[in-house]
Amino acid sequence: MADEESNCEDFCKDYMILNPQKAGIFDVFRLLCYKNIEERSFVDCSEEAKVVDFERRWLIFISVWVQKALFLGRRLLACIGCVVDTWLNLLSLNGGLIKLVYKSLTGSAEWPNRYSPNYTSLVGNFDPRRDLDLKIKPGDPGYNSELSIMAAKVAYENEAYIENTVKQHWKMAYLGYYKFYNAYMNDYKTRAFICHDQSTNQDLILVSFKGTSPFSALEWITDFDISWYQFEGVGKVHAGFMKALGLQKRGGWPKDIPEGAPPYAYYTLREKLRELLGEHKEAKFAVTGHSLGAALAILFVAVLMFHEEEELLARLEGVYTFGQPRVGDGQFGEYMTRKLEEFDVRYRRYVYCNDMVARLPFDDKALMYKHFGPCFYFNSCYKEKVLREEPDKNYFSLWWHIPKMLNACWELVRGFILPFRYGPEYRENWVMTLARVIGLMLPGLTDHIPRDYVNSTRLDHGRDYQTGPKLVRISNESGR
């Protein structure tokens, strides 16, 4: 991890930034004993953030150790990921284990090319579907949601796979794949692609952000970094996500950056959208993502609002997020709610059942993170409700543990039932079944996999929520 000289004072007065690489073992433990966190070498904070209670210091302690462990194990995790992905593609390419053994003995085994249009990541192996659901037509209720989750799922794959899927399977225009620079991590892990749906009933440009790769330690560090910045008039926002989006070390979010600067996600996509929408006068655009990609999607729109990009926001059809973690505090939620209504932006935050990532970081007295807007919640039978908050909002609850365990057992059994009820495209392969078994030990882990979000948008797409945010009816039910 690059040494972080945050220069926070250049763009905000209240902040709390963690730099685990500066943390010594004893220094981290002292954090639990002393209230003044600014005395720790790995904490950079404003005057207002200096003194915190034990519960919050405990969460900082956990965050620092997790980030340190991830950073130290980054190469091992990457190697494990390479082996897992290679073996899964080796089995797929050669027709399974028995055929692979036979072909190996005869010298005819094929070796996968990780840059080929058919090479899939672990996420892609959980759900190999690439085609859109033909039963949901452009203009139908739920079409944009189904297109968005497919784009969010496909965003985990390599560029050749994405291009082939967009052109050959979706019959849409492929407009580019992007690798963006993160100045704080000194890497290009933030990624997105753009496609153009010019079907009969709509003209939509879709931006899809990639989520957290299962074997990318640096991307997990972004997720576990509970640092935050307070932006005047906006609120406190998750620093890890903002850095991945293109936060500048000096100036935060200036309106423009110098020509020739590295390709930061926000600035690059903003200019590309200006260009595309200028060429296609009738087109609108939407933004989507799963997991980390979902956080980046809504924050991309937040910065557009912060910069008062009225021409772009007037062309924004909607924001569709799946398994989105919390990205800011209550003040930020109020700011976004007000701006979403002001610009009449459709915001759909989908949560499937016990997805644990959608319930992080915690919404409690120790952390300030809160969701905003209605929650489009799917249960394990893929039935949708619009709630103010997902049930069991902080996941780790003894009250909910037994129901979650029973639900995980049901999801394992359900995988064998679905193809008989809905067709062969809903059959779960051995990779997904194995994940369901592992998920019995930590219910909610497999609920974050995009497969269930794809099923949800396909099997309960008849309800018409394709209206502005002011018109969504929210159930009286709410999370505890």
Side-chain angles (χ1 to χ4, degrees):
M1 184 187 300
D3 181 46
E4 182 179 329
E5 296 296 335
S6 58
N7 299 298
C8 305
E9 300 86 349
D10 290 349
F11 57 88
C12 66
K13 301 299 182 184
D14 193 9
Y15 55 90
M16 193 274 292
I17 307 299
L18 304 179
N19 191 340
Q21 300 315 306
K22 292 182 177 179
I25 295 177
F26 295 109
D27 202 27
V28 178
F29 280 100
R30 289 192 190 98
L31 177 71
L32 299 177
C33 303
Y34 301 98
K35 291 184 177 181
N36 295 323
I37 61 174
E38 88 285 357
E39 295 179 5
R40 310 280 72 81
S41 61
F42 56 89
V43 179
D44 180 18
C45 63
S46 60
E47 194 70 29
E48 293 83 350
K50 281 184 177 181
V51 180
V52 296
D53 58 25
F54 178 81
E55 191 171 357
R56 190 170 299 182
R57 296 201 308 276
W58 171 253
L59 291 174
I60 294 173
F61 174 85
I62 297 298
S63 175
V64 169
W65 276 116
V66 170
Q67 290 183 69
K68 284 183 73 68
L70 285 168
F71 185 76
L72 292 173
R74 65 193 185 282
R75 292 186 177 87
L76 175 61
L77 189 60
C79 288
I80 293 173
C82 184
V83 171
V84 170
D85 286 347
T86 299
W87 269 102
L88 289 175
N89 282 274
L90 194 61
L91 292 171
S92 176
L93 187 62
N94 290 281
L97 181 59
I98 295 175
K99 288 186 178 180
L100 173 61
V101 172
Y102 172 76
K103 288 184 177 181
S104 298
L105 293 173
T106 59
S108 59
E110 299 179 67
W111 191 260
N113 175 6
R114 62 181 302 183
Y115 301 105
S116 78
N118 295 313
Y119 188 94
T120 52
S121 67
L122 178 60
V123 173
N125 274 281
F126 285 138
D127 184 4
R129 292 173 293 185
R130 299 173 74 168
D131 295 317
L132 300 175
D133 190 339
L134 296 179
K135 296 187 292 294
I136 308 176
K137 307 296 182 182
D140 286 352
Y143 173 80
N144 285 355
S145 299
E146 203 259 337
L147 171 61
S148 294
I149 182 54
M150 287 298 289
K153 180 175 81 76
V154 167
Y156 284 93
E157 310 304 328
N158 66 61
E159 182 177 3
Y161 182 102
I162 295 173
E163 182 175 3
N164 178 267
T165 300
V166 171
K167 290 181 176 179
Q168 303 302 322
H169 294 261
W170 301 352
K171 308 303 180 184
M172 297 179 187
Y174 172 75
L175 302 181
Y177 177 81
Y178 301 88
K179 298 179 181 180
F180 303 113
Y181 183 62
N182 181 334
Y184 295 80
M185 290 286 192
N186 191 29
D187 66 22
Y188 289 81
K189 295 293 185 181
T190 305
R191 302 187 183 182
F193 77 91
I194 306 177
C195 63
H196 190 181
D197 181 4
Q198 293 178 288
S199 55
T200 305
N201 295 300
Q202 73 173 2
D203 189 352
L204 182 71
I205 294 169
L206 182 63
V207 179
S208 180
F209 285 93
K210 173 182 169 293
T212 304
S213 296
F215 301 105
S216 173
L218 294 183
E219 291 176 36
W220 282 111
I221 287 173
T222 295
D223 295 337
F224 280 100
D225 183 2
I226 61 172
S227 305
W228 51 264
Y229 297 101
Q230 169 86 42
F231 293 90
E232 187 175 356
V234 176
K236 295 177 181 177
V237 190
H238 191 289
F241 299 149
M242 296 293 262
K243 295 170 187 176
L245 190 62
L247 183 77
Q248 303 296 290
K249 286 189 174 184
R250 291 188 178 276
W253 289 114
K255 183 79 170 180
D256 296 292
I257 57 175
E259 191 173 339
Y264 295 101
Y266 168 76
Y267 297 98
T268 302
L269 289 173
R270 185 188 65 179
E271 296 311 307
K272 186 63 179 178
L273 284 170
R274 285 174 176 172
E275 175 188 331
L276 291 171
L277 294 172
E279 295 174 0
H280 303 276
K281 301 297 183 182
E282 302 301 318
K284 290 192 173 184
F285 77 98
V287 189
T288 189
H290 170 262
S291 191
L292 168 61
L296 296 178
I298 189 60
L299 287 176
F300 173 75
V301 174
V303 182
L304 287 178
M305 293 172 172
F306 180 66
H307 286 159
E308 298 182 342
E309 295 283 350
E310 295 184 7
E311 291 185 9
L312 282 178
L313 291 168
R315 306 278 293 274
L316 177 57
E317 188 277 337
V319 187
Y320 300 85
T321 70
F322 304 88
Q324 176 199 314
R326 297 182 177 99
V327 298
D329 68 352
Q331 183 186 353
F332 177 74
E334 293 172 2
Y335 170 84
M336 288 299 296
T337 300
R338 185 173 67 254
K339 288 294 185 179
L340 289 167
E341 291 185 356
E342 177 183 336
F343 291 104
D344 196 24
V345 173
R346 181 179 300 129
Y347 174 41
R348 298 292 177 262
R349 181 176 65 84
Y350 291 101
V351 176
Y352 169 73
C353 204
N354 294 317
D355 183 346
M356 61 190 305
V357 175
R359 293 163 168 85
L360 299 173
F362 295 147
D363 174 2
D364 60 12
K365 64 180 183 180
L367 290 177
M368 74 291 177
Y369 292 99
K370 294 190 179 292
H371 277 309
F372 57 90
C375 166
F376 292 76
Y377 174 79
F378 291 99
N379 65 20
S380 59
C381 292
Y382 302 122
K383 298 302 180 182
E384 184 183 31
K385 290 183 179 180
V386 184
L387 307 175
R388 298 189 184 280
E389 181 73 77
E390 56 272 20
D392 185 24
K393 67 177 183 178
N394 285 329
Y395 184 77
F396 294 103
S397 167
L398 293 177
W399 178 264
W400 286 89
H401 182 68
I402 293 177
K404 283 187 288 193
M405 287 292 296
L406 294 173
N407 188 77
C409 294
W410 154 243
E411 288 174 332
L412 177 61
V413 174
R414 184 194 61 191
F416 298 98
I417 298 174
L418 286 177
F420 294 100
R421 184 172 182 184
Y422 298 111
E425 66 268 28
Y426 290 93
R427 179 175 292 111
E428 295 187 355
N429 58 20
W430 70 269
V431 182
M432 189 65 211
T433 301
L434 178 60
R436 299 282 190 201
V437 173
I438 296 173
L440 295 175
M441 295 181 285
L442 187 59
L445 181 64
T446 56
D447 287 9
H448 188 59
I449 294 173
R451 182 181 189 95
D452 282 318
Y453 283 100
V454 174
N455 289 350
S456 297
T457 57
R458 291 185 176 192
L459 296 177
D460 193 351
H461 64 274
R463 301 175 67 180
D464 188 3
Y465 292 122
Q466 305 299 315
T467 54
K470 298 177 183 178
L471 302 181
V472 173
R473 293 184 178 180
I474 302 177
S475 168
N476 289 328
E477 300 178 48
S478 62
R480 298 189 178 188

